[in-house]
Amino acid sequence: MVVYALISRQAFRRYLTYRGAMFGGVLANTVFGCIKAFIMTAVWSQRPSIGGYGLADALTYVFLAQAMIGPMSLLVNGLDIPARIRSGDIGTDLFRPVDFQNYWLATDLGRAAFAILGRSIVPFVIGALLFHLNVPEDPRVWAAFLVAVFLGTIVSFALRYLAAMSAFWLLDEKGVTGLANVLTSFFGGMIVPLVLFPGWLGHLARILPWASLVQLPADVFLGKRTGAAVGGAYLFEIGWAVTLLLAGRLVTRRARHRVVVQGG
Amino acid sequence: MWGRSAMQYRASMVLTMLNSGLTASLELLGILVVFGNVHSIGGFSLPEALYLYGTAQAAFFTSDLLFTGTEYLAVRIRMGTFDGLLIRPVGILPQVFADQFTPRRLAPLVPAYAALAIGVAGAPVRWTALRIAMVPYTLLIGVAVFGAVWILVGAFQIVAADASEVMNSVTYGGQFMTSYPLSLYGRNLMLFLTFGLPLAYVNWQPTLYVLGHADPLGTPSLLRFAGPLFAAALWGLALLAWRQALRHHRSTGS
């Protein structure tokens, strides 16, 4: 465990050096959050409640979604696996005395921890200053929310890991990771909140793994899920995390047999 | 040349092209999902909103096709490969525009023009000759305005290569903003977009005329046709910024 904590810390420090990119990300998340908030205001001005969400809930959702873009890497794959496969560095990674998949999970959690501090807080606070958001006062709700975000980040990693691993077979992973990002945008509720999805599409979106990313943490944050329903959300996230991580494990085993390390 | 290089990995190119098209199509689907809940946004019905959306997206992605090479300047500056472009006996701006071109950028034009076509067919407009002519005119001015923005992006990247992501808020933010009625964003922002950073002329101002809406700002109707003036001014400014940035550029000497 200690070694994974150290790996996470290294990743955290690595991303600390990219401050220009961080600032650009904060600005973009804030700007896009504001534009989306204006659009949602126009939508909710005609119907005070959609799918159990009032205007303040919808605006809060918008800024939560923007805040999750960094830690859950919702728009880009964010894993270096394909680049390391092309350069051959992946040989080193496979040789490390730690589990390959857990190594990348630890790296990604370190990156996510940095992103929460560096990219999530500022856009959300600015959103809360400019718009009327629904922010919980009960610290227990905040704690429950953070657990849901943590589990959601693992689901996000498991999905991105599967997409990135395609590079073992394809070398150029952009097609697959791009498709995965598109699915995340849509079913993760980044283009339109899932509460606006009509009937069957809404039901479908709510059982797919992408619901773990923004929708479930947002439901907990907004108090739409309390008590046992929070546990239900956790179980849903854990179920998908375990399923997808196991799939990743299977893929990793097959990928190991494909690797030919040149020279050295 | 960049197109040919992208064609070398045909499977990957086809997939990324499909992705770009799919992304843009799902954004379009997003609008339909929103309109599944309400009948109008900011006083725009679905076909009207699609017209507005289509003009913004078509203009943006056409400008993306022509000018977006400026987005990759930061990498070139950091790697020192920008100097390679500077010493070639061809104009520097056209080289930068064509940098990293890929046919993938054609794909999002499909849903963009589809939205525009549905908008034109469905919007309750009495099509006069002038209104019809305003459609290609809107796209032309839209491409010009976004083109100037791309040049500003390039100038910014030369000066501040480490903070190149900052400009995403202007380019992609501008694309997103102009896809919806500007009236959603409140009076102050509308004033800024009309007289400051003139993104209102990408599609909003001419569309007000085409669809027969009044400007919530109450501006004179002459402004609906003022796009070329604002676009020219923005180009002047962008080219000036570009020249200054080039002068500022210090090679890493690699």
PDB file of all heavy atoms in Angstrom, chain A residues 63-97:
ATOM      1  N   PHE A  63     -22.071  23.336 -12.384  1.00  0.00           N
ATOM      2  CA  PHE A  63     -20.738  23.667 -11.867  1.00  0.00           C
ATOM      3  C   PHE A  63     -20.049  22.459 -11.230  1.00  0.00           C
ATOM      4  O   PHE A  63     -18.812  22.365 -11.241  1.00  0.00           O
ATOM      5  CB  PHE A  63     -20.819  24.857 -10.905  1.00  0.00           C
ATOM      6  CG  PHE A  63     -20.954  26.155 -11.647  1.00  0.00           C
ATOM      7  CD1 PHE A  63     -22.186  26.771 -11.788  1.00  0.00           C
ATOM      8  CD2 PHE A  63     -19.854  26.732 -12.267  1.00  0.00           C
ATOM      9  CE1 PHE A  63     -22.325  27.951 -12.507  1.00  0.00           C
ATOM     10  CE2 PHE A  63     -19.975  27.908 -12.992  1.00  0.00           C
ATOM     11  CZ  PHE A  63     -21.215  28.514 -13.115  1.00  0.00           C
ATOM     12  N   LEU A  64     -20.845  21.514 -10.690  1.00  0.00           N
ATOM     13  CA  LEU A  64     -20.230  20.268 -10.214  1.00  0.00           C
ATOM     14  C   LEU A  64     -19.623  19.511 -11.390  1.00  0.00           C
ATOM     15  O   LEU A  64     -18.512  18.982 -11.303  1.00  0.00           O
ATOM     16  CB  LEU A  64     -21.282  19.387  -9.520  1.00  0.00           C
ATOM     17  CG  LEU A  64     -21.656  19.728  -8.085  1.00  0.00           C
ATOM     18  CD1 LEU A  64     -22.726  18.758  -7.580  1.00  0.00           C
ATOM     19  CD2 LEU A  64     -20.439  19.681  -7.171  1.00  0.00           C
ATOM     20  N   ALA A  65     -20.378  19.447 -12.500  1.00  0.00           N
ATOM     21  CA  ALA A  65     -19.880  18.738 -13.679  1.00  0.00           C
ATOM     22  C   ALA A  65     -18.581  19.372 -14.156  1.00  0.00           C
ATOM     23  O   ALA A  65     -17.615  18.666 -14.494  1.00  0.00           O
ATOM     24  CB  ALA A  65     -20.934  18.751 -14.786  1.00  0.00           C
ATOM     25  N   GLN A  66     -18.532  20.700 -14.188  1.00  0.00           N
ATOM     26  CA  GLN A  66     -17.299  21.377 -14.601  1.00  0.00           C
ATOM     27  C   GLN A  66     -16.165  21.056 -13.633  1.00  0.00           C
ATOM     28  O   GLN A  66     -15.019  20.878 -14.038  1.00  0.00           O
ATOM     29  CB  GLN A  66     -17.522  22.898 -14.674  1.00  0.00           C
ATOM     30  CG  GLN A  66     -18.446  23.336 -15.793  1.00  0.00           C
ATOM     31  CD  GLN A  66     -17.899  23.006 -17.169  1.00  0.00           C
ATOM     32  OE1 GLN A  66     -16.734  23.227 -17.458  1.00  0.00           O
ATOM     33  NE2 GLN A  66     -18.738  22.440 -18.027  1.00  0.00           N
ATOM     34  N   ALA A  67     -16.502  20.979 -12.346  1.00  0.00           N
ATOM     35  CA  ALA A  67     -15.477  20.697 -11.336  1.00  0.00           C
ATOM     36  C   ALA A  67     -14.949  19.272 -11.468  1.00  0.00           C
ATOM     37  O   ALA A  67     -13.812  18.986 -11.110  1.00  0.00           O
ATOM     38  CB  ALA A  67     -16.042  20.925  -9.936  1.00  0.00           C
ATOM     39  N   MET A  68     -15.766  18.360 -11.990  1.00  0.00           N
ATOM     40  CA  MET A  68     -15.350  16.957 -12.118  1.00  0.00           C
ATOM     41  C   MET A  68     -14.498  16.710 -13.359  1.00  0.00           C
ATOM     42  O   MET A  68     -13.851  15.671 -13.473  1.00  0.00           O
ATOM     43  CB  MET A  68     -16.587  16.041 -12.182  1.00  0.00           C
ATOM     44  CG  MET A  68     -17.364  15.929 -10.891  1.00  0.00           C
ATOM     45  SD  MET A  68     -16.323  15.411  -9.544  1.00  0.00           S
ATOM     46  CE  MET A  68     -16.467  16.804  -8.447  1.00  0.00           C
ATOM     47  N   ILE A  69     -14.507  17.654 -14.319  1.00  0.00           N
ATOM     48  CA  ILE A  69     -13.764  17.454 -15.567  1.00  0.00           C
ATOM     49  C   ILE A  69     -12.297  17.150 -15.286  1.00  0.00           C
ATOM     50  O   ILE A  69     -11.732  16.220 -15.856  1.00  0.00           O
ATOM     51  CB  ILE A  69     -13.888  18.702 -16.480  1.00  0.00           C
ATOM     52  CG1 ILE A  69     -15.288  18.773 -17.065  1.00  0.00           C
ATOM     53  CG2 ILE A  69     -12.847  18.646 -17.593  1.00  0.00           C
ATOM     54  CD1 ILE A  69     -15.536  20.005 -17.909  1.00  0.00           C
ATOM     55  N   GLY A  70     -11.690  17.907 -14.366  1.00  0.00           N
ATOM     56  CA  GLY A  70     -10.276  17.706 -14.057  1.00  0.00           C
ATOM     57  C   GLY A  70     -10.021  16.372 -13.374  1.00  0.00           C
ATOM     58  O   GLY A  70      -9.353  15.495 -13.932  1.00  0.00           O
ATOM     59  N   PRO A  71     -10.544  16.171 -12.154  1.00  0.00           N
ATOM     60  CA  PRO A  71     -10.222  14.941 -11.418  1.00  0.00           C
ATOM     61  C   PRO A  71     -10.617  13.664 -12.161  1.00  0.00           C
ATOM     62  O   PRO A  71      -9.889  12.675 -12.107  1.00  0.00           O
ATOM     63  CB  PRO A  71     -11.004  15.078 -10.107  1.00  0.00           C
ATOM     64  CG  PRO A  71     -11.884  16.256 -10.258  1.00  0.00           C
ATOM     65  CD  PRO A  71     -11.322  17.109 -11.334  1.00  0.00           C
ATOM     66  N   MET A  72     -11.767  13.657 -12.812  1.00  0.00           N
ATOM     67  CA  MET A  72     -12.187  12.421 -13.477  1.00  0.00           C
ATOM     68  C   MET A  72     -11.742  12.388 -14.936  1.00  0.00           C
ATOM     69  O   MET A  72     -12.075  11.451 -15.657  1.00  0.00           O
ATOM     70  CB  MET A  72     -13.693  12.268 -13.389  1.00  0.00           C
ATOM     71  CG  MET A  72     -14.165  12.136 -11.956  1.00  0.00           C
ATOM     72  SD  MET A  72     -15.812  11.528 -11.878  1.00  0.00           S
ATOM     73  CE  MET A  72     -16.169  11.750 -10.142  1.00  0.00           C
ATOM     74  N   SER A  73     -11.005  13.404 -15.362  1.00  0.00           N
ATOM     75  CA  SER A  73     -10.506  13.485 -16.739  1.00  0.00           C
ATOM     76  C   SER A  73     -11.614  13.127 -17.729  1.00  0.00           C
ATOM     77  O   SER A  73     -11.504  12.189 -18.499  1.00  0.00           O
ATOM     78  CB  SER A  73      -9.305  12.553 -16.908  1.00  0.00           C
ATOM     79  OG  SER A  73      -8.646  12.862 -18.106  1.00  0.00           O
ATOM     80  N   LEU A  74     -12.688  13.921 -17.700  1.00  0.00           N
ATOM     81  CA  LEU A  74     -13.889  13.570 -18.454  1.00  0.00           C
ATOM     82  C   LEU A  74     -13.772  13.862 -19.947  1.00  0.00           C
ATOM     83  O   LEU A  74     -14.516  13.311 -20.742  1.00  0.00           O
ATOM     84  CB  LEU A  74     -15.099  14.323 -17.885  1.00  0.00           C
ATOM     85  CG  LEU A  74     -15.485  13.947 -16.451  1.00  0.00           C
ATOM     86  CD1 LEU A  74     -16.611  14.832 -15.953  1.00  0.00           C
ATOM     87  CD2 LEU A  74     -15.889  12.490 -16.370  1.00  0.00           C
ATOM     88  N   LEU A  75     -12.860  14.745 -20.339  1.00  0.00           N
ATOM     89  CA  LEU A  75     -12.803  15.124 -21.750  1.00  0.00           C
ATOM     90  C   LEU A  75     -11.641  14.486 -22.500  1.00  0.00           C
ATOM     91  O   LEU A  75     -11.659  14.388 -23.717  1.00  0.00           O
ATOM     92  CB  LEU A  75     -12.712  16.656 -21.884  1.00  0.00           C
ATOM     93  CG  LEU A  75     -13.831  17.441 -21.198  1.00  0.00           C
ATOM     94  CD1 LEU A  75     -13.635  18.933 -21.412  1.00  0.00           C
ATOM     95  CD2 LEU A  75     -15.190  17.015 -21.719  1.00  0.00           C
ATOM     96  N   VAL A  76     -10.624  14.077 -21.758  1.00  0.00           N
ATOM     97  CA  VAL A  76      -9.469  13.434 -22.403  1.00  0.00           C
ATOM     98  C   VAL A  76      -9.113  12.170 -21.646  1.00  0.00           C
ATOM     99  O   VAL A  76      -9.474  12.018 -20.486  1.00  0.00           O
ATOM    100  CB  VAL A  76      -8.234  14.362 -22.432  1.00  0.00           C
ATOM    101  CG1 VAL A  76      -8.445  15.512 -23.395  1.00  0.00           C
ATOM    102  CG2 VAL A  76      -7.910  14.872 -21.047  1.00  0.00           C
ATOM    103  N   ASN A  77      -8.418  11.261 -22.302  1.00  0.00           N
ATOM    104  CA  ASN A  77      -8.077   9.999 -21.652  1.00  0.00           C
ATOM    105  C   ASN A  77      -7.125  10.213 -20.480  1.00  0.00           C
ATOM    106  O   ASN A  77      -7.320   9.670 -19.400  1.00  0.00           O
ATOM    107  CB  ASN A  77      -7.477   9.030 -22.677  1.00  0.00           C
ATOM    108  CG  ASN A  77      -7.185   7.688 -22.063  1.00  0.00           C
ATOM    109  OD1 ASN A  77      -6.113   7.488 -21.499  1.00  0.00           O
ATOM    110  ND2 ASN A  77      -8.130   6.781 -22.132  1.00  0.00           N
ATOM    111  N   GLY A  78      -6.078  11.008 -20.715  1.00  0.00           N
ATOM    112  CA  GLY A  78      -5.216  11.406 -19.607  1.00  0.00           C
ATOM    113  C   GLY A  78      -4.241  10.353 -19.100  1.00  0.00           C
ATOM    114  O   GLY A  78      -3.469  10.626 -18.193  1.00  0.00           O
ATOM    115  N   LEU A  79      -4.269   9.140 -19.647  1.00  0.00           N
ATOM    116  CA  LEU A  79      -3.306   8.119 -19.219  1.00  0.00           C
ATOM    117  C   LEU A  79      -2.167   8.074 -20.237  1.00  0.00           C
ATOM    118  O   LEU A  79      -2.396   8.169 -21.435  1.00  0.00           O
ATOM    119  CB  LEU A  79      -3.975   6.747 -19.118  1.00  0.00           C
ATOM    120  CG  LEU A  79      -5.025   6.607 -18.010  1.00  0.00           C
ATOM    121  CD1 LEU A  79      -5.774   5.292 -18.154  1.00  0.00           C
ATOM    122  CD2 LEU A  79      -4.374   6.682 -16.639  1.00  0.00           C
ATOM    123  N   ASP A  80      -0.929   7.896 -19.734  1.00  0.00           N
ATOM    124  CA  ASP A  80       0.239   7.928 -20.630  1.00  0.00           C
ATOM    125  C   ASP A  80       0.540   6.585 -21.265  1.00  0.00           C
ATOM    126  O   ASP A  80       1.543   6.440 -21.965  1.00  0.00           O
ATOM    127  CB  ASP A  80       1.480   8.378 -19.841  1.00  0.00           C
ATOM    128  CG  ASP A  80       1.388   9.845 -19.477  1.00  0.00           C
ATOM    129  OD1 ASP A  80       0.672  10.568 -20.192  1.00  0.00           O
ATOM    130  OD2 ASP A  80       2.013  10.257 -18.488  1.00  0.00           O
ATOM    131  N   ILE A  81      -0.294   5.586 -20.991  1.00  0.00           N
ATOM    132  CA  ILE A  81       0.019   4.225 -21.466  1.00  0.00           C
ATOM    133  C   ILE A  81       0.306   4.182 -22.975  1.00  0.00           C
ATOM    134  O   ILE A  81       1.352   3.665 -23.378  1.00  0.00           O
ATOM    135  CB  ILE A  81      -1.116   3.243 -21.086  1.00  0.00           C
ATOM    136  CG1 ILE A  81      -1.205   3.141 -19.564  1.00  0.00           C
ATOM    137  CG2 ILE A  81      -0.882   1.872 -21.700  1.00  0.00           C
ATOM    138  CD1 ILE A  81      -2.428   2.389 -19.062  1.00  0.00           C
ATOM    139  N   PRO A  82      -0.576   4.746 -23.837  1.00  0.00           N
ATOM    140  CA  PRO A  82      -0.305   4.632 -25.284  1.00  0.00           C
ATOM    141  C   PRO A  82       1.014   5.269 -25.703  1.00  0.00           C
ATOM    142  O   PRO A  82       1.768   4.670 -26.480  1.00  0.00           O
ATOM    143  CB  PRO A  82      -1.493   5.367 -25.918  1.00  0.00           C
ATOM    144  CG  PRO A  82      -2.569   5.279 -24.896  1.00  0.00           C
ATOM    145  CD  PRO A  82      -1.880   5.373 -23.578  1.00  0.00           C
ATOM    146  N   ALA A  83       1.318   6.452 -25.171  1.00  0.00           N
ATOM    147  CA  ALA A  83       2.571   7.116 -25.545  1.00  0.00           C
ATOM    148  C   ALA A  83       3.753   6.259 -25.107  1.00  0.00           C
ATOM    149  O   ALA A  83       4.767   6.166 -25.807  1.00  0.00           O
ATOM    150  CB  ALA A  83       2.644   8.498 -24.889  1.00  0.00           C
ATOM    151  N   ARG A  84       3.634   5.614 -23.956  1.00  0.00           N
ATOM    152  CA  ARG A  84       4.736   4.783 -23.455  1.00  0.00           C
ATOM    153  C   ARG A  84       4.851   3.482 -24.240  1.00  0.00           C
ATOM    154  O   ARG A  84       5.927   2.896 -24.318  1.00  0.00           O
ATOM    155  CB  ARG A  84       4.559   4.525 -21.957  1.00  0.00           C
ATOM    156  CG  ARG A  84       4.755   5.799 -21.145  1.00  0.00           C
ATOM    157  CD  ARG A  84       4.638   5.571 -19.668  1.00  0.00           C
ATOM    158  NE  ARG A  84       5.744   4.827 -19.095  1.00  0.00           N
ATOM    159  CZ  ARG A  84       6.900   5.351 -18.705  1.00  0.00           C
ATOM    160  NH1 ARG A  84       7.100   6.641 -18.856  1.00  0.00           N
ATOM    161  NH2 ARG A  84       7.844   4.606 -18.180  1.00  0.00           N
ATOM    162  N   ILE A  85       3.733   3.031 -24.808  1.00  0.00           N
ATOM    163  CA  ILE A  85       3.804   1.843 -25.673  1.00  0.00           C
ATOM    164  C   ILE A  85       4.572   2.200 -26.946  1.00  0.00           C
ATOM    165  O   ILE A  85       5.466   1.479 -27.381  1.00  0.00           O
ATOM    166  CB  ILE A  85       2.390   1.339 -26.030  1.00  0.00           C
ATOM    167  CG1 ILE A  85       1.740   0.731 -24.789  1.00  0.00           C
ATOM    168  CG2 ILE A  85       2.460   0.310 -27.162  1.00  0.00           C
ATOM    169  CD1 ILE A  85       0.296   0.345 -24.981  1.00  0.00           C
ATOM    170  N   ARG A  86       4.240   3.370 -27.518  1.00  0.00           N
ATOM    171  CA  ARG A  86       4.903   3.768 -28.767  1.00  0.00           C
ATOM    172  C   ARG A  86       6.385   4.018 -28.557  1.00  0.00           C
ATOM    173  O   ARG A  86       7.205   3.710 -29.404  1.00  0.00           O
ATOM    174  CB  ARG A  86       4.212   5.004 -29.366  1.00  0.00           C
ATOM    175  CG  ARG A  86       2.956   4.673 -30.135  1.00  0.00           C
ATOM    176  CD  ARG A  86       2.485   5.866 -30.934  1.00  0.00           C
ATOM    177  NE  ARG A  86       2.117   6.961 -30.058  1.00  0.00           N
ATOM    178  CZ  ARG A  86       0.897   7.112 -29.548  1.00  0.00           C
ATOM    179  NH1 ARG A  86      -0.043   6.256 -29.846  1.00  0.00           N
ATOM    180  NH2 ARG A  86       0.626   8.119 -28.754  1.00  0.00           N
ATOM    181  N   SER A  87       6.740   4.603 -27.398  1.00  0.00           N
ATOM    182  CA  SER A  87       8.154   4.909 -27.174  1.00  0.00           C
ATOM    183  C   SER A  87       8.921   3.683 -26.672  1.00  0.00           C
ATOM    184  O   SER A  87      10.144   3.670 -26.658  1.00  0.00           O
ATOM    185  CB  SER A  87       8.282   6.050 -26.159  1.00  0.00           C
ATOM    186  OG  SER A  87       7.879   5.606 -24.885  1.00  0.00           O
ATOM    187  N   GLY A  88       8.189   2.664 -26.225  1.00  0.00           N
ATOM    188  CA  GLY A  88       8.858   1.478 -25.711  1.00  0.00           C
ATOM    189  C   GLY A  88       9.065   1.509 -24.204  1.00  0.00           C
ATOM    190  O   GLY A  88       9.478   0.524 -23.596  1.00  0.00           O
ATOM    191  N   ASP A  89       8.766   2.670 -23.574  1.00  0.00           N
ATOM    192  CA  ASP A  89       8.950   2.798 -22.121  1.00  0.00           C
ATOM    193  C   ASP A  89       8.057   1.842 -21.347  1.00  0.00           C
ATOM    194  O   ASP A  89       8.276   1.584 -20.165  1.00  0.00           O
ATOM    195  CB  ASP A  89       8.635   4.230 -21.665  1.00  0.00           C
ATOM    196  CG  ASP A  89       9.657   5.209 -22.201  1.00  0.00           C
ATOM    197  OD1 ASP A  89      10.778   4.758 -22.500  1.00  0.00           O
ATOM    198  OD2 ASP A  89       9.332   6.401 -22.322  1.00  0.00           O
ATOM    199  N   ILE A  90       7.016   1.339 -22.019  1.00  0.00           N
ATOM    200  CA  ILE A  90       6.069   0.451 -21.344  1.00  0.00           C
ATOM    201  C   ILE A  90       6.791  -0.794 -20.828  1.00  0.00           C
ATOM    202  O   ILE A  90       6.376  -1.403 -19.838  1.00  0.00           O
ATOM    203  CB  ILE A  90       4.911   0.072 -22.305  1.00  0.00           C
ATOM    204  CG1 ILE A  90       3.671  -0.327 -21.518  1.00  0.00           C
ATOM    205  CG2 ILE A  90       5.293  -1.042 -23.252  1.00  0.00           C
ATOM    206  CD1 ILE A  90       2.927   0.838 -20.943  1.00  0.00           C
ATOM    207  N   GLY A  91       7.909  -1.146 -21.492  1.00  0.00           N
ATOM    208  CA  GLY A  91       8.715  -2.277 -21.032  1.00  0.00           C
ATOM    209  C   GLY A  91       9.129  -2.087 -19.581  1.00  0.00           C
ATOM    210  O   GLY A  91       9.048  -3.009 -18.759  1.00  0.00           O
ATOM    211  N   THR A  92       9.570  -0.859 -19.239  1.00  0.00           N
ATOM    212  CA  THR A  92       9.945  -0.537 -17.862  1.00  0.00           C
ATOM    213  C   THR A  92       8.751  -0.713 -16.931  1.00  0.00           C
ATOM    214  O   THR A  92       8.873  -1.270 -15.843  1.00  0.00           O
ATOM    215  CB  THR A  92      10.413   0.936 -17.774  1.00  0.00           C
ATOM    216  OG1 THR A  92      11.202   1.207 -18.916  1.00  0.00           O
ATOM    217  CG2 THR A  92      11.188   1.183 -16.514  1.00  0.00           C
ATOM    218  N   ASP A  93       7.589  -0.223 -17.387  1.00  0.00           N
ATOM    219  CA  ASP A  93       6.401  -0.278 -16.543  1.00  0.00           C
ATOM    220  C   ASP A  93       6.003  -1.716 -16.238  1.00  0.00           C
ATOM    221  O   ASP A  93       5.602  -2.045 -15.125  1.00  0.00           O
ATOM    222  CB  ASP A  93       5.226   0.441 -17.219  1.00  0.00           C
ATOM    223  CG  ASP A  93       5.516   1.920 -17.426  1.00  0.00           C
ATOM    224  OD1 ASP A  93       6.373   2.447 -16.696  1.00  0.00           O
ATOM    225  OD2 ASP A  93       4.905   2.524 -18.317  1.00  0.00           O
ATOM    226  N   LEU A  94       6.130  -2.576 -17.254  1.00  0.00           N
ATOM    227  CA  LEU A  94       5.743  -3.975 -17.060  1.00  0.00           C
ATOM    228  C   LEU A  94       6.731  -4.694 -16.145  1.00  0.00           C
ATOM    229  O   LEU A  94       6.419  -5.695 -15.523  1.00  0.00           O
ATOM    230  CB  LEU A  94       5.666  -4.688 -18.420  1.00  0.00           C
ATOM    231  CG  LEU A  94       4.482  -4.292 -19.294  1.00  0.00           C
ATOM    232  CD1 LEU A  94       4.679  -4.774 -20.715  1.00  0.00           C
ATOM    233  CD2 LEU A  94       3.182  -4.852 -18.726  1.00  0.00           C
ATOM    234  N   PHE A  95       7.933  -4.151 -16.096  1.00  0.00           N
ATOM    235  CA  PHE A  95       9.014  -4.769 -15.339  1.00  0.00           C
ATOM    236  C   PHE A  95       8.990  -4.365 -13.863  1.00  0.00           C
ATOM    237  O   PHE A  95       9.647  -4.950 -13.031  1.00  0.00           O
ATOM    238  CB  PHE A  95      10.341  -4.343 -15.983  1.00  0.00           C
ATOM    239  CG  PHE A  95      11.488  -5.236 -15.660  1.00  0.00           C
ATOM    240  CD1 PHE A  95      11.453  -6.574 -16.038  1.00  0.00           C
ATOM    241  CD2 PHE A  95      12.599  -4.763 -14.987  1.00  0.00           C
ATOM    242  CE1 PHE A  95      12.509  -7.416 -15.738  1.00  0.00           C
ATOM    243  CE2 PHE A  95      13.655  -5.594 -14.688  1.00  0.00           C
ATOM    244  CZ  PHE A  95      13.619  -6.921 -15.063  1.00  0.00           C
ATOM    245  N   ARG A  96       8.239  -3.308 -13.549  1.00  0.00           N
ATOM    246  CA  ARG A  96       8.234  -2.788 -12.174  1.00  0.00           C
ATOM    247  C   ARG A  96       7.729  -3.859 -11.203  1.00  0.00           C
ATOM    248  O   ARG A  96       6.853  -4.645 -11.545  1.00  0.00           O
ATOM    249  CB  ARG A  96       7.306  -1.577 -12.056  1.00  0.00           C
ATOM    250  CG  ARG A  96       7.849  -0.315 -12.672  1.00  0.00           C
ATOM    251  CD  ARG A  96       6.851   0.819 -12.476  1.00  0.00           C
ATOM    252  NE  ARG A  96       6.895   1.777 -13.579  1.00  0.00           N
ATOM    253  CZ  ARG A  96       7.750   2.795 -13.641  1.00  0.00           C
ATOM    254  NH1 ARG A  96       8.611   2.981 -12.664  1.00  0.00           N
ATOM    255  NH2 ARG A  96       7.732   3.605 -14.668  1.00  0.00           N
ATOM    256  N   PRO A  97       8.259  -3.839  -9.958  1.00  0.00           N
ATOM    257  CA  PRO A  97       7.833  -4.844  -8.984  1.00  0.00           C
ATOM    258  C   PRO A  97       6.477  -4.514  -8.347  1.00  0.00           C
ATOM    259  O   PRO A  97       6.207  -4.903  -7.223  1.00  0.00           O
ATOM    260  CB  PRO A  97       8.956  -4.803  -7.938  1.00  0.00           C
ATOM    261  CG  PRO A  97       9.476  -3.413  -8.012  1.00  0.00           C
ATOM    262  CD  PRO A  97       9.304  -2.961  -9.428  1.00  0.00           C
TER     263      PRO A  97
END
